[in-house]
Amino acid sequence: MDDLRAKYIDLIANAADEATLEDLRVKAVGKKGEISLQMRELGKMSPEERQVAGPKLNALKDEINAALGAKKAALADAALNERLRAEWLDVTLPVRASRTGTIHPISQVTEEITAIFADMGFSVAEGPQIDTDWYNFDALNIPSHHPARAEMDTFYMHRAEGDNRPPHVLRTHTSPVQIRHMEKYGAPCRVIAPGRVYRADYDQTHTPMFHQVEGLAIDKDISMANLKWVLEEFFAAFFEIDGIKTRFRASHFPFTEPSAEVDIQCSWVDGQLKIGEGDDWLEVLGSGMVHPKVLSAAGVNPDEWQGFAFGMGIDRISMLKYGIPDLRAFFDSDLRWLRHYGFASLDVPTLHGGLSR
Ligand code: DAH
């Protein structure tokens, strides 16, 4: 009996996990365990022998059970301590001072644009980046033979043979959102639509993916004068220069009539570009009065409604405002560039708080 005790107490003390403990329990005090078998032997003993052996065996059984229980609790404690050690966190440490992430200038400028136009009563509209050639071209009065299609360096989506769904393109501009918005909500309306657009082009001022913001205002009596006022308000707020001068040049777009390209006043001194002074001009957007055919295509009656639209390059005006010389760097994901040109995540642009701090 002493040998049995010594053997099991030792084995239990050294058990590494619960499975081993359970195994020992079965072997010692299970139905066919060594101690249980010994107990069966009691029946063959003389009463005197039994009186000595019985209590001893019972005590041994209790002792083994107690040892098993204690070891089980110890193992659970050890596991919990190990978990607490591994998952320990010092919540009293001060916040790390270095910024680990920044807001991309495009995101920041998109927020700035949205804040300014929201103040003038424009809400934000959205459309898909993969669109049909009808929304991207036809509905905007650019039929299939039109040279503007070729000029846009369009990315066409692959079509399997026998696929007779309409051809899809990566939208080449945000103008299709005009159609989608009027189709769904009709007139009157006043929206901007910022977003990604795509063209097969790549150099210092062109990337295959870039950003535009579309503007659209339709009502009974909206004119070019309203367009001019809205854009001048926008540029003054965006560049934070009161009375910034703009120049409207007659131009042509299939989806507007009349059409104008808009330049803003700037100066080039020693290769440095300054906005709002000097006698040079920089083109920043296309605009005009929405063509009656475009209104019709979107289900809006051109005899009843009229309005203006514009399309502006977000990347372009970001480069101007924040002095970023190469467009390609915007999309290189270079951490040093992002730390340099990025914005703190809590620096949310608002008109009352200041657009760029
Ligand atoms: N969609 C034109 C482009 O990508 C820009 C544009 C010009 C948009 C005139 C307009 C507009 O809404 O009226 O080049």
Side-chain angles (χ1 to χ4, degrees), residues 81 89 128 141 148-149 169 225 257:
N81 282 336
L89 259 181
N141 194 29
R149 285 211 189 189
V169 300
E257 182 58 37

Side-chain angles (χ1 to χ4, degrees), residues 257-278:
E257 182 58 37
S259 307
E261 277 173 311
V262 179
D263 306 334
I264 52 177
Q265 181 194 17
C266 66
S267 72
W268 286 101
V269 179
D270 301 329
Q272 268 235 327
L273 176 64
K274 287 223 172 88
I275 302 295
E277 57 173 63

